[in-house]
Amino acid sequence: MTREIIDPEVFFNATGCLRNLSSADMGRQTMRNYPGLIDSVMTYAQNCVASNRPDDKSVENCICILHNLSYRLDAEVPNKYTQLNHMARSVYMDKTLTGCFNSRSGKMENDEYGVPLPEEDFKPKGPSWLYHSDAIRTYLSLMDQSKKDATLEACAGALQNLTASRGLMSNAMSQLIGLKEKGLPRIARLLQSNSSEVVRSGASLLSNMSRHPVLHKTMAHQVLPDVSRLLSFQSGNTNSYGEIMTSACYTLRNLIMSNPHLGKSYLTSNMLNNVVSLCRNGSCPKAAEAARLLLTDLWSNRELQSMLKQVRRMLLLLG
């Protein structure tokens, strides 16, 4: 239907109702299967982006619906990656049985599957919209254009959901976001938001993406400055503090250990002092564990160890 036929208030209230329903497990699964629902919500959001109306009040509802419907998508909805995950596990098991696997890791690595990624649907329908490149572009465009924190958080949250699994979907979505669509600078800008929830969603998304070695070089150059600033200056008086610090530690750990020489310039005394303090933070156990793992890995690298000793001596002198 054209915009002129729909009463804006009716549409806003209807999408608000669907937004609430989509947050429940039963509602989420029913809504994914309802013919035309995802198509309509996605089309409305895309039309608003195309007509430079990113903060139309119904856009927030639409993106929040899509965010909720993408939750656990890889686990709950059969998709193009499901069969490939089974194939990848078979490849991995064959390599393991013949001894042809990476001795550094006892787990299957996303970038070593050896299975080609599937082609996209030319005309997506229903749940296939949720992981289509057109949807990714819509979320990234809204990150550029929208001034509303709830919309920004939902865009990052939808991408976070798509990259959360340990399977091929996470690998493919991360490459699509970071390499093909060049979305990293837009995600990094979220870390500078005054909204702790926007920062949390952006930091969690980057943590998911940093698990894939194919992205390490690009991410190190484009997001390390903002992630290291989080660990240096982030205030501990927000509800999201623990989650933000956990994500930042894991991202920093993955990126610096992949390129210690580049990462050295970001290991400031202020940041390291904050990470050490985080290790002792009993109110954020997950963040404390992430900080301990970060420091352990940094200390295990000879190139970084000498620098850490110098920083340690400096901190001791400063008292």
Side-chain angles (χ1 to χ4, degrees):
M1 298 177 71
T2 65
R3 179 173 171 79
E4 288 71 23
I5 298 174
I6 307 171
D7 183 277
E9 283 301 315
V10 171
F11 187 76
F12 172 70
N13 292 328
T15 53
C17 179
L18 291 172
R19 175 178 176 175
N20 293 338
L21 291 172
S22 66
S23 62
D25 289 346
M26 184 70 71
R28 183 172 70 245
Q29 295 177 30
T30 302
M31 289 171 67
R32 284 179 186 145
N33 295 326
Y34 195 86
L37 192 151
I38 294 175
D39 310 63
S40 300
V41 171
M42 184 68 77
T43 298
Y44 185 88
Q46 290 177 329
N47 287 344
C48 286
V49 170
S51 59
N52 199 29
R53 293 184 289 113
D55 291 328
D56 174 287
K57 64 180 183 179
S58 292
V59 168
E60 178 186 324
N61 284 341
C62 289
I63 298 301
C64 287
I65 291 168
L66 297 169
H67 171 202
N68 291 337
L69 296 186
S70 65
Y71 179 67
R72 290 183 52 81
L73 182 68
D74 203 17
E76 295 179 353
V77 179
N79 56 70
K80 288 176 176 289
Y81 299 94
T82 305
Q83 184 60 37
L84 290 177
N85 281 328
H86 293 307
M87 292 170 58
R89 291 189 183 94
S90 297
V91 170
Y92 170 75
M93 290 304 297
D94 288 344
K95 288 183 177 181
T96 302
L97 292 173
T98 57
C100 299
F101 62 96
N102 188 341
S103 60
R104 293 173 300 168
S105 174
K107 63 184 179 181
M108 182 168 57
E109 294 293 341
N110 291 316
D111 295 289
E112 297 174 346
Y113 278 143
V115 178
L117 297 178
E119 292 185 6
E120 286 192 312
D121 292 329
F122 180 67
K123 292 184 177 181
K125 288 185 177 182
S128 64
W129 259 118
L130 297 172
Y131 55 91
H132 196 273
S133 61
D134 286 346
I136 305 299
R137 279 190 286 274
T138 299
Y139 299 141
L140 293 175
S141 294
L142 282 169
M143 286 183 190
D144 262 343
Q145 300 175 21
S146 180
K147 301 292 191 296
K148 297 179 72 172
D149 288 338
T151 300
L152 296 174
E153 180 191 348
C155 288
L159 298 179
Q160 178 193 344
N161 286 340
L162 295 176
T163 57
S165 75
R166 295 284 175 174
L168 277 168
M169 176 179 281
S170 174
N171 181 292
M173 295 297 101
S174 295
Q175 291 191 56
L176 180 59
I177 297 164
L179 301 180
K180 186 177 179 182
E181 299 301 331
K182 297 178 171 50
L184 288 170
R186 279 169 275 191
I187 300 168
R189 281 200 296 273
L190 300 182
L191 305 187
Q192 302 169 23
S193 172
N194 292 324
S195 165
S196 63
E197 293 303 312
V198 172
V199 175
R200 179 190 59 79
S201 291
S204 296
L205 171 55
L206 290 175
S207 178
N208 289 348
M209 294 175 68
S210 73
R211 291 186 280 117
H212 304 288
V214 69
L215 287 164
H216 282 174
K217 183 177 180 180
T218 303
M219 290 188 71
H221 287 287
Q222 296 187 20
V223 305
L224 258 183
D226 294 282
V227 175
S228 61
R229 270 195 292 271
L230 270 186
L231 286 169
S232 298
F233 303 114
Q234 179 70 20
S235 169
N237 57 4
T238 68
N239 294 332
S240 304
Y241 174 76
E243 290 181 74
I244 292 170
M245 292 295 100
T246 301
S247 296
C249 283
Y250 283 130
T251 302
L252 199 72
R253 178 187 176 209
N254 290 334
L255 299 183
I256 287 184
M257 297 313 296
S258 73
N259 190 340
H261 182 72
L262 176 65
K264 280 166 55 173
S265 61
Y266 298 103
L267 298 177
T268 64
S269 58
N270 188 42
M271 189 203 75
L272 290 170
N273 193 32
N274 284 351
V275 173
V276 170
S277 298
L278 193 59
C279 291
R280 301 166 181 157
N281 190 330
S283 61
C284 300
K286 290 184 178 180
E289 176 64 17
R292 282 191 287 270
L293 290 172
L294 171 59
L295 290 176
T296 300
D297 279 5
L298 293 177
W299 187 258
S300 70
N301 184 279
R302 289 187 177 182
E303 186 176 354
L304 299 174
Q305 195 175 99
S306 59
M307 180 184 175
L308 292 176
K309 288 178 180 178
Q310 293 175 13
V311 172
R312 183 187 178 194
R313 282 195 293 269
M314 186 188 309
L315 292 173
L316 289 173
L317 288 173
L318 292 173

